[in-house]
Amino acid sequence: MDRFVKLMNVISDCPSSGIGIAEISRRTLLSKGTTHRMLQDMLAYRLVMQNPETKKYLLGPKSMKWGSTFLKMQDPMGLLSKYCNDIGEKTKLYAFICRFQGDEIFCTYTHQPSEVRNSFFVHVGQRMPVHCSAGAKIILAYQSPDIIHQLLEKESLKRYTDFTITDQSEIYKEIQEARPKQIAFCEQELELGVTALSVPIFHKANQAVLSISLVGEHHNIESRKETLIQDLHAASLEASDHLMSMNSLSSVI
């Protein structure tokens, strides 16, 4: 099982063009023979597929079906997607939802208005770096100190740009400041020229494992920051009130 998970992790992180067997073997530290045998079995079960021309491997339809089913379970009523769509259309910015489950924070839904032409770092299923993504930082702001410490300790604290904060004391300070303001920022920390704003969505009073975010070109966000923060807080309030009044997350959190 450990070897299978290693293979799936490497293949799921590969570019859209796929990944070759030699690179998979190198990243997983498995021999080429073992890697080849496992991939053949995975092909048979449609967990992966192979490009007939390049011979590179990609996730297959079976794994995509499992992933799609899992993501649908994160928003069983379609409630969160409604608020994500609404805020995206109102601001004409790329909007997305993040969720904390297990020991990971990941993106479960995105909305790209027709006016938005750029593609951004975040996509459905994307694991969010806890030290430098706004969507993760605002969720961490509502977790216990032990959980914050645990997640930061397991994070590589990779420096994506010159703006990425990698000092743990600075990250803790930023997370602590985010809670009373109910807003977190990612100002060119993941991509140069790109900024994101995130607010919590509460399922109980002062308890949040969900966030809703806007991302766009840095100068565009900066010129509209106060208005965007107000819009995000309004969306957060509506979504949180809706969730808490229905008490709908108790069965899935």
Side-chain angles (χ1 to χ4, degrees), residues 30-206:
L30 298 173
S31 70
K32 288 185 180 180
T34 297
T35 303
H36 181 264
R37 287 192 296 272
M38 292 184 66
L39 288 171
Q40 292 306 302
D41 288 340
M42 293 163 72
L43 280 168
Y45 284 100
R46 298 172 58 193
L47 290 168
V48 298
M49 55 187 181
Q50 186 179 31
N51 185 309
E53 296 180 359
T54 65
K55 304 302 180 184
K56 291 184 177 182
Y57 292 88
L58 297 160
L59 287 181
K62 176 60 73 174
S63 59
M64 293 176 184
K65 180 180 179 182
W66 289 348
S68 176
T69 301
F70 172 75
L71 290 173
K72 286 179 181 177
M73 291 171 63
Q74 308 313 303
D75 185 14
M77 299 176 301
L79 170 64
L80 301 182
S81 58
K82 172 193 180 307
Y83 289 103
C84 189
N85 294 346
D86 287 349
I87 191 70
E89 290 301 323
K90 180 176 182 178
T91 62
K92 305 304 179 186
L93 290 170
Y94 191 96
F96 60 95
I97 298 287
C98 288
R99 181 184 177 97
F100 177 32
Q101 186 163 314
D103 61 352
E104 302 283 1
I105 297 173
F106 54 93
C107 173
T108 62
Y109 185 81
T110 65
H111 178 73
Q112 182 168 350
S114 58
E115 294 86 353
V116 176
R117 303 300 180 189
N118 293 357
S119 59
F120 297 101
F121 173 88
V122 64
H123 57 265
V124 172
Q126 172 77 51
R127 190 189 75 83
M128 307 304 293
V130 297
H131 66 299
C132 61
S133 61
K137 284 188 282 190
I138 195 61
I139 289 175
L140 282 188
Y142 293 89
Q143 309 310 310
S144 70
D146 286 345
I147 290 178
I148 296 173
H149 177 75
Q150 175 188 339
L151 293 183
L152 286 177
E153 282 296 308
K154 71 185 286 289
E155 189 69 46
S156 65
L157 303 186
K158 176 180 176 180
R159 185 180 294 278
Y160 292 88
T161 75
D162 290 341
F163 296 94
T164 307
I165 300 173
T166 58
D167 180 84
Q168 280 206 15
S169 61
E170 289 296 317
I171 298 169
Y172 277 112
K173 180 181 177 182
E174 191 173 2
I175 291 171
Q176 290 171 348
E177 292 175 348
R179 179 164 179 149
K181 298 177 181 178
Q182 295 188 11
I183 185 78
F185 305 94
C186 171
E187 297 180 314
Q188 304 190 77
E189 295 176 56
L190 279 171
E191 295 180 88
L192 286 176
V194 175
T195 286
L197 315 173
S198 299
V199 296
I201 299 176
F202 299 104
H203 60 277
K204 292 181 181 178
N206 294 316

Side-chain angles (χ1 to χ4, degrees), residues 14-33:
C14 75
S16 58
S17 59
I19 184 170
I21 192 169
E23 181 65 11
I24 296 173
S25 176
R26 185 186 70 80
R27 293 194 192 182
T28 59
L29 302 180
L30 298 173
S31 70
K32 288 185 180 180

Side-chain angles (χ1 to χ4, degrees), residues 77 79 203 239-250:
M77 299 176 301
L79 170 64
H203 60 277
S240 299
D241 284 349
H242 200 159
L243 285 180
M244 287 190 284
S245 67
M246 297 182 69
N247 200 24
S248 60
L249 284 184
S250 60

